Amino acid sequence: DQVVKDGVCVPDAKTYTVLLRGCLQAGLVDKALAVTRCAYHLPGHDLRETDGWYQGVEPSGLEDLLASLSSEQRESLVKDLQKQGISCPSQSLDKAPRRRHVAPRHH
């Protein structure tokens, strides 16, 4: 909030992505969601938005967030993003978190 308020610099997608990932790593999923909503100028957060166009987050950061949200939070965010004409990575819209498949080793 202070950076945007002071006008020292304008956060870009990379900045918002770093913030949301830091929140996720700290287990602050709700704060990561608020950062993302702020980055896209969506309702449902109490952070100060940048002037002008939204900056958004990097696609990989959005995927990480969507995989961490409850189904209700995910559906709400996706709906709000789609209202703004923003598409979401299709693999992140699954109900279950993504899992990496590891093939069994043959000796």
Side-chain angles (χ1 to χ4, degrees):
D1 279 348
Q2 196 65 38
V3 170
V4 174
K5 179 182 175 188
D6 291 347
V8 175
C9 68
V10 177
D12 60 7
K14 185 164 219 58
T15 305
Y16 282 116
T17 302
V18 168
L19 290 171
L20 90 84
R21 284 199 171 124
C23 291
L24 289 176
Q25 289 174 354
L28 304 171
V29 176
D30 289 339
K31 185 58 89 174
L33 178 57
V35 167
T36 303
R37 287 185 165 281
C38 179
Y40 285 103
H41 294 187
L42 299 173
H45 68 88
D46 61 354
L47 301 173
R48 185 180 296 266
E49 295 177 354
T50 57
D51 291 331
W53 290 96
Y54 65 79
Q55 299 298 314
V57 298
E58 294 176 349
S60 61
L62 185 57
E63 284 184 41
D64 292 344
L65 176 65
L66 290 170
S68 300
L69 296 175
S70 69
S71 59
E72 294 84 21
Q73 290 173 312
R74 185 171 37 254
E75 289 172 16
S76 174
L77 178 60
V78 168
K79 185 171 105 180
D80 287 346
L81 287 168
Q82 289 174 338
K83 282 182 190 175
Q84 296 286 347
I86 301 162
S87 62
C88 296
S90 59
Q91 65 269 30
S92 297
L93 302 180
D94 297 335
K95 299 291 184 217
R98 294 171 296 152
R99 301 238 192 283
R100 193 176 116 197
H101 175 73
V102 178
R105 298 175 113 186
H106 296 284
H107 291 43

